[in-house]
Amino acid sequence: MIYSMKRIAILVFFMVSTTLSFSQTQSEIMERRYNMLVSKVGEAGLGVESVLNTWEKEDSNNLNMLLGKFRYYFNKAQSTQIVAKYEKRYLGLEPVLSLKDSLGRQISYFQEVFYDDELYGQAIKALDKAVSLNPDRLDLRFMKANSLLAYEKGSPDMTLNYLLQLTDEVAARTKDWTFGSEKKDKKFYEDAIQEYCYSLFTIGTSASKDAFMALSVKLNKIFPSNLNFLNNIGSYYLVNSNYKAALKTYSKVLKKEPGNLTAIQNCVLAARRNEDEKSEIKYLQMMLKYAPEQEALMAKARIEVLTQN
C-alpha cells in the first residue's frame, strides 16, 4: 500500500510538472533561457546572438526579444580607444590622464567609445521595430535618442532631428505616454528633454551647442511657460560671447519670474564679461534679494568693490 501511494505521488508530481512545462509558450522558454545566459555572460556575450535568433523565429514581435537584440548589437558595436587632446575636456568628458609633452604643453588623454556602423545599424533596426510595435512607450523613444547621441557624439545631427520630431509629436498628442508601466504627461517630457539639452550643451562642440540652441528654441515655442528653455537660449548667447543678446534673453525670463536665480546669476556673469559695471551692480542687487545667504554675501562684497572704484 505504501509502495502504491509512493508511485501515485510520483505520478501526480510528474503530471503537474508536465502540465506546468507545457503551459509555458516556446517564447517564454526562450526568454528564460536568454535571461539565464545574459546573467552569466552579459548582454553581448558568447551564445547570446544564437539564442536571440532562435527566440526571434518563435516570436518575432516580442518586445523583450527586440530589446535584447538592440542591446546585443549596440554593445557589440562598441570599441574603446584612448585619444590624446590638447584640451581640458573633450566631448564633455574628464581626462583619464594628463601629462606634459616635450614642449611643456599639457596633453590630456580621454577614453572615447567608437561604433561599428553595421552593428549599430542592426541595433537601431531592432529598436525601431520595438518602437513601431509600442508607439506609446516614451522610454523606447528616449532609448533611441540616447543611442543616437552616443553614436554621433560631437556631431549630433540625427539626434537633433529625432528630438525635434519627437517634440512635435508630444505637442500634438492628447493622451498620456507610458514609461515602462507608468503613465507620464507632457510635464514629464519637459523635464526629461531638458536633460538632453544639458547633454548637448556639455558635449561642448560647436555642432552640439548649435543643436542645443535649435532644440531649446523649439521647446521654448511649444512650452513657453517653462523658463528653462528660455534660459537655455540665454546660455547659448553667453558661451558664444554675445553678451547683449544674453542679457536681453535673461531679462525676458526675469520679466516673467523676477526671482529666477539662474537668470540673475547669468546676467551678473554676462554683464561682468561685457565690462558693464552698472548692469552688473543691478543684477548683484537682485542676488541680495533672491540668492541663498552665502551667495548673497559674495554679491554684497562684489558690490562694495565695484562701488569703491
Side-chain angles (χ1 to χ4, degrees):
M1 179 70 176
I2 294 175
Y3 177 72
S4 298
M5 290 297 294
K6 186 176 181 180
R7 289 185 62 187
I8 292 171
I10 292 172
L11 181 60
V12 169
F13 176 78
F14 174 77
M15 290 175 65
V16 170
S17 299
T18 303
T19 302
L20 289 173
S21 297
F22 281 115
S23 69
Q24 281 190 313
T25 66
Q26 194 63 30
S27 179
E28 289 171 336
I29 293 170
M30 292 306 305
E31 182 168 4
R32 186 174 61 180
R33 185 180 301 174
Y34 165 79
N35 289 333
M36 288 178 63
L37 182 60
V38 165
S39 70
K40 295 177 181 178
V41 303
E43 294 176 332
L46 184 65
V48 172
E49 183 180 24
S50 177
V51 171
L52 285 168
N53 288 339
T54 304
W55 188 4
E56 185 176 24
K57 291 177 183 178
E58 293 294 334
D59 190 357
S60 62
N61 291 334
N62 185 284
L63 176 60
N64 290 333
M65 180 277 298
L66 291 168
L67 294 180
K69 287 180 76 71
F70 165 74
R71 287 190 287 264
Y72 174 81
Y73 288 116
F74 186 71
N75 286 301
K76 206 73 175 175
Q78 297 178 25
S79 61
T80 304
Q81 297 179 26
I82 299 296
V83 296
K85 300 287 181 180
Y86 288 104
E87 303 171 22
K88 292 183 179 180
R89 291 176 66 88
Y90 174 62
L91 298 177
L93 302 173
E94 296 284 349
V96 295
L97 179 67
S98 293
L99 299 171
K100 289 189 176 181
D101 65 10
S102 59
L103 299 176
R105 297 175 298 180
Q106 193 76 20
I107 184 168
S108 298
Y109 295 87
F110 300 88
Q111 185 171 285
E112 184 175 359
V113 178
F114 294 86
Y115 290 84
D116 178 272
D117 292 341
E118 183 178 350
L119 291 173
Y120 178 79
Q122 292 185 63
I124 289 300
K125 181 180 179 182
L127 185 55
D128 281 343
K129 184 173 181 179
V131 170
S132 69
L133 293 169
N134 301 271
D136 295 335
R137 288 280 298 269
L138 189 57
D139 52 333
L140 300 183
R141 308 296 186 97
F142 286 154
M143 190 179 294
K144 181 168 182 180
N146 290 342
S147 68
L148 287 170
L149 188 56
Y151 176 71
E152 293 187 296
K153 296 177 286 192
S155 302
D157 296 335
M158 291 188 296
T159 306
L160 173 61
N161 288 333
Y162 185 75
L163 290 174
L164 290 174
Q165 291 171 10
L166 179 58
T167 298
D168 283 334
E169 188 174 345
V170 169
R173 191 178 176 91
T174 57
K175 63 177 182 177
D176 287 341
W177 295 86
T178 56
F179 196 94
S181 59
E182 298 180 8
K183 291 196 173 192
K184 299 295 182 182
D185 58 13
K186 288 183 181 180
K187 181 62 174 67
F188 174 82
Y189 181 79
E190 291 179 45
D191 294 337
I193 198 68
Q194 175 67 355
E195 293 299 316
Y196 287 99
C197 292
Y198 177 78
S199 295
L200 290 167
F201 185 79
T202 55
I203 286 172
T205 64
S206 177
S208 71
K209 286 186 285 189
D210 286 346
F212 161 80
M213 177 62 161
L215 181 58
S216 297
V217 168
K218 164 75 82 172
L219 292 166
N220 182 57
K221 182 178 180 180
I222 292 176
F223 306 111
S225 62
N226 190 324
L227 298 180
N228 287 327
F229 306 130
L230 194 53
N231 269 328
N232 287 352
I233 296 169
S235 296
Y236 175 83
Y237 290 131
L238 182 58
V239 298
N240 283 284
S241 302
N242 191 342
Y243 303 124
K244 289 184 178 180
L247 286 168
K248 184 177 180 180
T249 304
Y250 291 129
S251 294
K252 292 179 181 178
V253 175
L254 295 173
K255 186 175 181 180
K256 295 182 177 181
E257 185 184 319
N260 190 292
L261 195 55
T262 298
I264 296 170
Q265 291 169 329
N266 286 334
C267 280
V268 171
L269 184 57
R272 185 176 303 167
R273 290 182 179 178
N274 200 38
E275 299 181 349
D276 183 351
E277 292 185 359
K278 182 178 179 180
S279 293
E280 184 179 353
I281 291 172
K282 171 187 172 182
Y283 294 112
L284 285 168
Q285 288 171 336
M286 294 179 70
M287 291 277 290
L288 297 179
K289 182 177 181 180
Y290 294 108
E293 182 179 359
Q294 191 61 36
E295 290 184 46
L297 288 173
M298 293 173 64
K300 183 179 180 181
R302 176 65 178 169
I303 290 172
E304 291 174 355
V305 171
L306 291 173
T307 53
Q308 286 173 1
N309 293 339

